Amino acid sequence: MRKRLWIYLFRNKLKVFTIIWILILSVNIYQQRKSQSTYIELDNAAEKSRHYKQSQLPETKTEPLRIKSANKEANSFQPFSPYDKPLDNSVYEHIPESFRTNHSTVKSITYSFSTTIRKEGPGFTLITMFNLFTGQAIEGYDKESLQNQINRNWEYLSTIKENINHGQIKRVVLLYADDNSIKVLYQQNWVNNSKIFPMKMPRLIHMSDFFNISSIHLLDEPVIAANGDILIGENFDQIDTIRLRDTKTLYTLTRHGNRGIGDCVAQSMCLMKYYGSHDTHIFRLKSPVPATALQHLNYPVNLQQAENGMIGILKTELKFTVYNPCPILKTYHIHCSQIAKRLKKGQNSIRDSPWNIRIIKTSRPIHSLKYGP
């Protein structure tokens, strides 16, 4: 029977190749139509995002910051005056003891943070978020104990302190919404405070903010965009950022454990089973990200699959090549505190309304630094 089948296939090679070609063509047509329908869904989600009532979901009404023309104002961050008065007790009680000053005797600050971006010097700009628990109500965290909030603040402050000491980080752009958080930071007399560039946001951070700020202030600059509890680790000096730019390559890294920081043992999500998690994104923009793509990325970074939606948009819409060399470029997750955002079902994923994003992509770990397709 098998012999007859092989004889038939050999004698009818043209027919067999024709059938295979038709099947491949059909699959390609199906994928193109599926991609087009996905874009329609994404555009509809963006439209819903613009018109969704602020009383129902306040963050959705905020548009991405518009790209400004190159001028003096567009190339500097708004300064934040050093805080030289005692913190309110309601704020002070949330601060870990190792980061407290004698708040009853604080008189003046003898140093200041930088407020103007300078282009010179090698290294990366780290863009990250910074919002401490300071007694203000935060959606999703209303049931957390005071001790959990103190522990979480310790993790955020420890992460920043370590990152500004990293040899490959030349500046850290801190995106914050709560003034009290920056007031706490101003009272830390750290050696490399001059690396810190605070930037106040009108709301909690959206995924579009990383790429919008990079388009305005950091064009053709190597950028690391990371969550506030991610510690930058080893081998970042091995990245060829020129090739990263010229080949439109994005590195999106899966985190390792906590590197012994804190009182727990966290497993590496890079070396263990891969779950599709990405907390650090490395890129160098050659040109500003288009406004349409910024609109598609205009959703909170703390939603489930936020990074997977970003990967999908950069791959399909902006034609980036995406790799995950997390075994080489190591980052660490500083999160031992028992604290996590709790939202109602149907409100914690980019798949939920009003976002309704369906372009979901992942990038499995690889053991080399690749550039381009």
Short mmCIF file of all heavy atoms in Angstrom, two decimals, residues 124-126 169 211 214 221-226 232 234-236 239-241 244-245 248-253 279-285 310 314 320-326 328-331 369 371:
data_model
loop_
_atom_site.label_atom_id
_atom_site.label_comp_id
_atom_site.label_asym_id
_atom_site.label_seq_id
_atom_site.Cartn_x
_atom_site.Cartn_y
_atom_site.Cartn_z
N PHE A 124 22.84 54.09 29.63
CA PHE A 124 21.40 54.04 29.38
C PHE A 124 20.66 55.05 30.26
O PHE A 124 21.10 55.38 31.35
CB PHE A 124 20.86 52.65 29.69
CG PHE A 124 21.34 51.57 28.76
CD1 PHE A 124 22.54 50.93 28.99
CD2 PHE A 124 20.59 51.20 27.65
CE1 PHE A 124 23.00 49.94 28.14
CE2 PHE A 124 21.03 50.21 26.79
CZ PHE A 124 22.24 49.58 27.03
N THR A 125 19.52 55.48 29.75
CA THR A 125 18.55 56.20 30.57
C THR A 125 17.49 55.20 31.01
O THR A 125 16.86 54.54 30.18
CB THR A 125 17.89 57.34 29.79
OG1 THR A 125 18.87 58.32 29.47
CG2 THR A 125 16.80 58.00 30.63
N LEU A 126 17.31 55.08 32.31
CA LEU A 126 16.28 54.22 32.86
C LEU A 126 15.03 55.04 33.12
O LEU A 126 15.08 56.03 33.85
CB LEU A 126 16.77 53.57 34.16
CG LEU A 126 15.73 52.81 34.99
CD1 LEU A 126 15.21 51.60 34.22
CD2 LEU A 126 16.33 52.38 36.34
N ILE A 169 23.99 52.84 34.03
CA ILE A 169 22.85 53.77 34.10
C ILE A 169 23.39 55.17 34.32
O ILE A 169 23.98 55.48 35.35
CB ILE A 169 21.89 53.40 35.27
CG1 ILE A 169 21.38 51.97 35.10
CG2 ILE A 169 20.73 54.39 35.32
CD1 ILE A 169 20.56 51.74 33.87
N PHE A 211 7.33 55.43 25.66
CA PHE A 211 7.71 55.69 24.27
C PHE A 211 7.50 57.16 23.89
O PHE A 211 8.22 57.69 23.04
CB PHE A 211 6.94 54.76 23.34
CG PHE A 211 7.25 53.31 23.59
CD1 PHE A 211 6.46 52.54 24.43
CD2 PHE A 211 8.36 52.73 23.00
CE1 PHE A 211 6.77 51.21 24.68
CE2 PHE A 211 8.67 51.40 23.24
CZ PHE A 211 7.88 50.64 24.09
N SER A 214 10.45 59.04 25.44
CA SER A 214 11.65 58.73 24.66
C SER A 214 11.63 59.46 23.32
O SER A 214 12.67 59.91 22.83
CB SER A 214 11.75 57.21 24.42
OG SER A 214 11.87 56.53 25.65
N GLU A 221 18.73 57.84 21.87
CA GLU A 221 19.40 57.55 23.13
C GLU A 221 19.01 56.14 23.58
O GLU A 221 17.84 55.75 23.48
CB GLU A 221 18.97 58.54 24.22
CG GLU A 221 19.57 59.92 24.06
CD GLU A 221 20.96 59.99 24.67
OE1 GLU A 221 21.14 59.62 25.84
OE2 GLU A 221 21.87 60.41 23.94
N PRO A 222 19.95 55.34 24.10
CA PRO A 222 19.60 54.02 24.62
C PRO A 222 18.71 54.14 25.86
O PRO A 222 19.05 54.87 26.80
CB PRO A 222 20.96 53.40 24.97
CG PRO A 222 21.98 54.24 24.26
CD PRO A 222 21.40 55.61 24.17
N VAL A 223 17.59 53.46 25.84
CA VAL A 223 16.60 53.57 26.92
C VAL A 223 16.28 52.20 27.49
O VAL A 223 16.15 51.22 26.76
CB VAL A 223 15.30 54.23 26.40
CG1 VAL A 223 14.20 54.19 27.45
CG2 VAL A 223 15.57 55.68 25.98
N ILE A 224 16.15 52.16 28.82
CA ILE A 224 15.61 51.00 29.52
C ILE A 224 14.33 51.44 30.18
O ILE A 224 14.34 52.37 31.01
CB ILE A 224 16.58 50.46 30.58
CG1 ILE A 224 17.92 50.06 29.97
CG2 ILE A 224 15.97 49.29 31.33
CD1 ILE A 224 18.98 49.70 31.00
N ALA A 225 13.20 50.84 29.83
CA ALA A 225 11.92 51.12 30.49
C ALA A 225 11.59 49.92 31.37
O ALA A 225 11.55 48.79 30.89
CB ALA A 225 10.82 51.33 29.45
N ALA A 226 11.38 50.18 32.66
CA ALA A 226 11.21 49.06 33.60
C ALA A 226 10.21 49.42 34.68
O ALA A 226 9.98 50.60 34.98
CB ALA A 226 12.56 48.68 34.23
N ILE A 232 18.29 46.55 37.81
CA ILE A 232 19.09 46.30 36.62
C ILE A 232 20.35 45.54 37.04
O ILE A 232 21.06 45.95 37.96
CB ILE A 232 19.46 47.60 35.90
CG1 ILE A 232 18.19 48.42 35.61
CG2 ILE A 232 20.21 47.31 34.62
CD1 ILE A 232 17.15 47.70 34.80
N GLU A 234 23.37 42.40 35.38
CA GLU A 234 24.64 42.26 34.70
C GLU A 234 24.53 42.27 33.17
O GLU A 234 23.46 42.03 32.62
CB GLU A 234 25.31 40.93 35.11
CG GLU A 234 25.67 40.85 36.59
CD GLU A 234 24.49 40.48 37.47
OE1 GLU A 234 23.54 39.85 36.97
OE2 GLU A 234 24.53 40.84 38.67
N ASN A 235 25.69 42.56 32.55
CA ASN A 235 25.96 42.37 31.11
C ASN A 235 25.31 43.39 30.19
O ASN A 235 25.28 43.19 28.97
CB ASN A 235 25.55 40.95 30.67
CG ASN A 235 26.30 39.88 31.44
OD1 ASN A 235 27.49 40.04 31.74
ND2 ASN A 235 25.61 38.79 31.79
N PHE A 236 24.82 44.50 30.72
CA PHE A 236 24.22 45.52 29.85
C PHE A 236 25.28 46.24 29.02
O PHE A 236 24.95 46.90 28.03
CB PHE A 236 23.41 46.51 30.69
CG PHE A 236 22.05 45.98 31.06
CD1 PHE A 236 21.92 44.97 32.00
CD2 PHE A 236 20.91 46.47 30.45
CE1 PHE A 236 20.67 44.47 32.34
CE2 PHE A 236 19.66 45.99 30.78
CZ PHE A 236 19.54 44.98 31.72
N ILE A 239 25.54 45.21 25.09
CA ILE A 239 24.55 45.59 24.07
C ILE A 239 25.16 46.58 23.08
O ILE A 239 25.74 47.60 23.47
CB ILE A 239 23.31 46.21 24.73
CG1 ILE A 239 22.68 45.24 25.74
CG2 ILE A 239 22.28 46.60 23.66
CD1 ILE A 239 21.53 45.84 26.50
N ASP A 240 25.03 46.29 21.80
CA ASP A 240 25.41 47.22 20.74
C ASP A 240 24.18 48.08 20.43
O ASP A 240 23.31 47.69 19.65
CB ASP A 240 25.86 46.44 19.50
CG ASP A 240 26.41 47.35 18.40
OD1 ASP A 240 26.09 48.55 18.41
OD2 ASP A 240 27.13 46.85 17.53
N THR A 241 24.10 49.24 21.06
CA THR A 241 22.88 50.05 20.93
C THR A 241 22.74 50.66 19.54
O THR A 241 21.62 50.99 19.13
CB THR A 241 22.86 51.16 21.99
OG1 THR A 241 23.95 52.06 21.78
CG2 THR A 241 22.95 50.57 23.39
N LEU A 244 21.05 48.02 17.72
CA LEU A 244 19.70 47.97 18.27
C LEU A 244 18.81 48.99 17.57
O LEU A 244 17.67 48.69 17.20
CB LEU A 244 19.77 48.26 19.77
CG LEU A 244 18.62 47.75 20.66
CD1 LEU A 244 18.66 46.24 20.79
CD2 LEU A 244 18.71 48.39 22.04
N ARG A 245 19.35 50.20 17.36
CA ARG A 245 18.61 51.27 16.69
C ARG A 245 18.42 50.96 15.21
O ARG A 245 17.29 51.05 14.68
CB ARG A 245 19.36 52.58 16.86
CG ARG A 245 18.75 53.78 16.14
CD ARG A 245 19.78 54.88 15.97
NE ARG A 245 20.88 54.47 15.09
CZ ARG A 245 22.02 55.15 14.97
NH1 ARG A 245 22.23 56.24 15.66
NH2 ARG A 245 22.96 54.71 14.13
N LYS A 248 15.97 48.21 14.36
CA LYS A 248 14.67 48.32 15.04
C LYS A 248 14.40 47.08 15.91
O LYS A 248 13.39 46.40 15.76
CB LYS A 248 13.55 48.52 14.03
CG LYS A 248 13.60 49.84 13.29
CD LYS A 248 12.34 50.07 12.46
CE LYS A 248 11.12 50.34 13.32
NZ LYS A 248 9.95 50.72 12.52
N THR A 249 15.33 46.82 16.81
CA THR A 249 15.23 45.67 17.71
C THR A 249 14.82 46.13 19.11
O THR A 249 15.33 47.14 19.61
CB THR A 249 16.58 44.92 17.79
OG1 THR A 249 16.92 44.45 16.49
CG2 THR A 249 16.49 43.74 18.75
N LEU A 250 13.90 45.41 19.70
CA LEU A 250 13.48 45.63 21.08
C LEU A 250 13.85 44.40 21.90
O LEU A 250 13.52 43.28 21.53
CB LEU A 250 11.97 45.85 21.16
CG LEU A 250 11.35 45.84 22.56
CD1 LEU A 250 11.62 47.15 23.28
CD2 LEU A 250 9.85 45.57 22.50
N TYR A 251 14.58 44.62 23.00
CA TYR A 251 14.79 43.56 23.98
C TYR A 251 13.74 43.70 25.07
O TYR A 251 13.62 44.76 25.69
CB TYR A 251 16.18 43.65 24.60
CG TYR A 251 17.32 43.28 23.68
CD1 TYR A 251 18.60 43.77 23.92
CD2 TYR A 251 17.14 42.45 22.59
CE1 TYR A 251 19.67 43.45 23.09
CE2 TYR A 251 18.19 42.11 21.75
CZ TYR A 251 19.46 42.62 22.00
OH TYR A 251 20.49 42.28 21.17
N THR A 252 12.98 42.65 25.30
CA THR A 252 11.97 42.68 26.35
C THR A 252 12.26 41.51 27.29
O THR A 252 12.10 40.35 26.92
CB THR A 252 10.55 42.63 25.75
OG1 THR A 252 9.57 42.64 26.78
CG2 THR A 252 10.36 41.44 24.83
N LEU A 253 12.72 41.82 28.49
CA LEU A 253 13.35 40.83 29.36
C LEU A 253 12.40 40.26 30.40
O LEU A 253 11.58 40.99 30.99
CB LEU A 253 14.55 41.46 30.08
CG LEU A 253 15.59 42.15 29.20
CD1 LEU A 253 16.68 42.75 30.06
CD2 LEU A 253 16.17 41.17 28.19
N ASP A 279 9.26 42.49 32.18
CA ASP A 279 9.23 43.67 33.05
C ASP A 279 10.20 44.77 32.63
O ASP A 279 10.14 45.87 33.18
CB ASP A 279 9.56 43.26 34.49
CG ASP A 279 8.61 42.20 35.02
OD1 ASP A 279 7.50 42.56 35.41
OD2 ASP A 279 8.98 41.01 35.02
N THR A 280 11.10 44.49 31.70
CA THR A 280 12.12 45.44 31.28
C THR A 280 12.20 45.47 29.76
O THR A 280 12.24 44.41 29.13
CB THR A 280 13.50 45.05 31.87
OG1 THR A 280 13.38 44.91 33.28
CG2 THR A 280 14.53 46.11 31.55
N HIS A 281 12.25 46.68 29.19
CA HIS A 281 12.24 46.83 27.74
C HIS A 281 13.37 47.77 27.33
O HIS A 281 13.49 48.87 27.87
CB HIS A 281 10.89 47.37 27.27
CG HIS A 281 9.73 46.74 27.98
ND1 HIS A 281 9.35 45.43 27.77
CD2 HIS A 281 8.90 47.22 28.95
CE1 HIS A 281 8.33 45.14 28.56
NE2 HIS A 281 8.04 46.21 29.28
N ILE A 282 14.20 47.33 26.39
CA ILE A 282 15.39 48.08 25.98
C ILE A 282 15.27 48.43 24.50
O ILE A 282 15.04 47.55 23.67
CB ILE A 282 16.67 47.25 26.23
CG1 ILE A 282 16.69 46.75 27.68
CG2 ILE A 282 17.92 48.06 25.92
CD1 ILE A 282 17.74 45.69 27.93
N PHE A 283 15.47 49.71 24.18
CA PHE A 283 15.33 50.14 22.78
C PHE A 283 16.11 51.43 22.57
O PHE A 283 16.55 52.11 23.53
CB PHE A 283 13.86 50.35 22.42
CG PHE A 283 13.10 51.27 23.35
CD1 PHE A 283 13.07 52.63 23.11
CD2 PHE A 283 12.45 50.77 24.46
CE1 PHE A 283 12.38 53.49 23.96
CE2 PHE A 283 11.77 51.61 25.33
CZ PHE A 283 11.73 52.97 25.07
N ARG A 284 16.27 51.79 21.31
CA ARG A 284 16.88 53.07 20.93
C ARG A 284 16.15 53.57 19.70
O ARG A 284 16.31 53.03 18.60
CB ARG A 284 18.38 52.90 20.65
CG ARG A 284 19.09 54.20 20.32
CD ARG A 284 20.60 54.01 20.30
NE ARG A 284 21.29 55.28 20.00
CZ ARG A 284 22.60 55.45 20.06
NH1 ARG A 284 23.38 54.44 20.43
NH2 ARG A 284 23.15 56.62 19.79
N LEU A 285 15.32 54.59 19.89
CA LEU A 285 14.47 55.07 18.81
C LEU A 285 15.25 55.90 17.80
O LEU A 285 15.98 56.82 18.18
CB LEU A 285 13.33 55.92 19.39
CG LEU A 285 12.33 55.22 20.31
CD1 LEU A 285 11.28 56.22 20.79
CD2 LEU A 285 11.66 54.04 19.61
N MET A 310 1.99 45.49 24.37
CA MET A 310 3.02 46.38 23.83
C MET A 310 3.89 45.64 22.81
O MET A 310 4.19 46.18 21.73
CB MET A 310 3.88 46.92 24.97
CG MET A 310 4.99 47.85 24.55
SD MET A 310 6.53 47.00 24.12
CE MET A 310 7.02 46.37 25.71
N LEU A 314 4.28 46.77 18.84
CA LEU A 314 5.57 47.12 18.26
C LEU A 314 5.95 46.16 17.13
O LEU A 314 6.57 46.58 16.15
CB LEU A 314 6.66 47.13 19.34
CG LEU A 314 7.00 48.53 19.89
CD1 LEU A 314 5.82 49.10 20.66
CD2 LEU A 314 8.24 48.51 20.76
N PHE A 320 8.96 46.26 14.66
CA PHE A 320 10.13 45.96 15.47
C PHE A 320 10.38 44.46 15.49
O PHE A 320 9.44 43.65 15.42
CB PHE A 320 9.93 46.46 16.90
CG PHE A 320 10.41 47.86 17.14
CD1 PHE A 320 9.67 48.95 16.71
CD2 PHE A 320 11.60 48.10 17.82
CE1 PHE A 320 10.09 50.24 16.92
CE2 PHE A 320 12.04 49.39 18.04
CZ PHE A 320 11.29 50.47 17.60
N THR A 321 11.65 44.09 15.60
CA THR A 321 12.02 42.71 15.89
C THR A 321 12.22 42.60 17.39
O THR A 321 12.91 43.43 17.99
CB THR A 321 13.31 42.31 15.16
OG1 THR A 321 13.12 42.48 13.75
CG2 THR A 321 13.66 40.86 15.46
N VAL A 322 11.62 41.60 18.01
CA VAL A 322 11.61 41.50 19.48
C VAL A 322 12.31 40.23 19.92
O VAL A 322 12.02 39.13 19.42
CB VAL A 322 10.16 41.52 20.02
CG1 VAL A 322 10.15 41.42 21.54
CG2 VAL A 322 9.45 42.79 19.57
N TYR A 323 13.24 40.38 20.86
CA TYR A 323 13.95 39.24 21.45
C TYR A 323 13.94 39.36 22.97
O TYR A 323 13.77 40.46 23.52
CB TYR A 323 15.40 39.18 20.96
CG TYR A 323 15.57 38.92 19.49
CD1 TYR A 323 16.14 39.88 18.65
CD2 TYR A 323 15.15 37.71 18.92
CE1 TYR A 323 16.30 39.65 17.30
CE2 TYR A 323 15.30 37.48 17.57
CZ TYR A 323 15.87 38.45 16.76
OH TYR A 323 16.02 38.21 15.42
N ASN A 324 14.16 38.22 23.62
CA ASN A 324 14.18 38.16 25.09
C ASN A 324 15.46 37.46 25.55
O ASN A 324 15.44 36.30 25.96
CB ASN A 324 12.95 37.41 25.59
CG ASN A 324 12.91 37.29 27.10
OD1 ASN A 324 13.67 37.96 27.81
ND2 ASN A 324 12.02 36.44 27.61
N PRO A 325 16.62 38.17 25.51
CA PRO A 325 17.88 37.55 25.95
C PRO A 325 18.07 37.63 27.47
O PRO A 325 19.15 38.01 27.95
CB PRO A 325 18.93 38.37 25.20
CG PRO A 325 18.32 39.73 25.08
CD PRO A 325 16.83 39.51 24.96
N CYS A 326 17.04 37.27 28.22
CA CYS A 326 17.11 37.39 29.68
C CYS A 326 18.16 36.49 30.33
O CYS A 326 18.65 36.82 31.42
CB CYS A 326 15.74 37.16 30.31
SG CYS A 326 15.04 35.50 30.06
N ILE A 328 21.15 36.36 29.44
CA ILE A 328 22.37 37.16 29.37
C ILE A 328 22.19 38.49 30.11
O ILE A 328 22.99 38.85 30.98
CB ILE A 328 22.78 37.42 27.91
CG1 ILE A 328 23.03 36.09 27.19
CG2 ILE A 328 24.01 38.32 27.85
CD1 ILE A 328 23.28 36.26 25.71
N LEU A 329 21.14 39.24 29.74
CA LEU A 329 20.86 40.53 30.36
C LEU A 329 19.96 40.29 31.57
O LEU A 329 18.76 40.05 31.43
CB LEU A 329 20.17 41.46 29.35
CG LEU A 329 20.91 41.67 28.03
CD1 LEU A 329 20.09 42.54 27.09
CD2 LEU A 329 22.29 42.30 28.26
N LYS A 330 20.54 40.38 32.74
CA LYS A 330 19.83 39.95 33.94
C LYS A 330 19.19 41.14 34.67
O LYS A 330 19.81 42.18 34.87
CB LYS A 330 20.79 39.22 34.88
CG LYS A 330 21.32 37.92 34.28
CD LYS A 330 22.23 37.18 35.24
CE LYS A 330 22.72 35.88 34.62
NZ LYS A 330 23.61 35.13 35.52
N THR A 331 17.94 40.94 35.03
CA THR A 331 17.22 41.89 35.87
C THR A 331 16.58 41.11 37.01
O THR A 331 16.31 39.92 36.89
CB THR A 331 16.13 42.63 35.08
OG1 THR A 331 15.20 41.67 34.53
CG2 THR A 331 16.73 43.44 33.94
N LEU A 369 22.55 37.64 22.02
CA LEU A 369 22.09 39.00 21.73
C LEU A 369 21.92 39.13 20.22
O LEU A 369 22.87 39.36 19.49
CB LEU A 369 23.10 40.03 22.25
CG LEU A 369 23.31 40.06 23.76
CD1 LEU A 369 24.33 41.13 24.13
CD2 LEU A 369 22.00 40.31 24.49
N TYR A 371 20.14 40.83 16.70
CA TYR A 371 19.75 42.13 16.20
C TYR A 371 19.06 41.93 14.85
O TYR A 371 19.60 41.32 13.94
CB TYR A 371 20.95 43.05 16.03
CG TYR A 371 21.74 43.28 17.30
CD1 TYR A 371 22.80 42.43 17.63
CD2 TYR A 371 21.39 44.30 18.18
CE1 TYR A 371 23.52 42.63 18.80
CE2 TYR A 371 22.11 44.49 19.36
CZ TYR A 371 23.16 43.65 19.66
OH TYR A 371 23.87 43.84 20.83
#
